[in-house]
């Protein structure tokens, strides 16, 4: 199937669900994709890993808890 070009009037200039190129891979923006179609490691958050016998009082989403009991 041949590619089609959208008419400029059908693409919103700002707002809505549009992500501008300067937000891709930027802090506070959205993750981009590498050549392998995966999110590059540098754009993934670093999880907090806790090891011990007492669970953290206020874990954050993405934190990892390893119970040594």
């Amino acid at each position: 199937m041949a590619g089609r070009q959208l008419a400029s009037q059908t693409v919103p200039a700002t707002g809505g669900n549009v992500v501008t190129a300067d937000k891709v891979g930027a802090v506070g923006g959205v993750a981009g994709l590498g050549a392998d179609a995966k999110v590059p490691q540098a754009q993934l958050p670093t999880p907090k890993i806790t090891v011990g016998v007492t669970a953290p009082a206020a874990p954050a989403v993405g934190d990892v808890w390893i119970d040594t009991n």
Side-chain angles (χ1 to χ4, degrees):
M1 179 174 175
R4 297 184 320 173
Q5 185 174 4
L6 296 175
S8 61
Q9 68 268 19
T10 64
V11 179
T14 59
N17 295 323
V18 175
V19 176
T20 56
D22 63 318
K23 299 295 184 199
V24 178
V27 174
V30 297
L33 296 178
D36 59 358
K38 296 179 182 178
V39 176
Q41 182 70 36
Q43 294 182 26
L44 295 173
T46 303
K48 178 181 171 190
I49 299 175
T50 306
V51 177
V53 294
T54 305
V61 172
D63 288 353
V64 177
W65 165 251
I66 301 172
D67 189 346
T68 57
N69 278 337

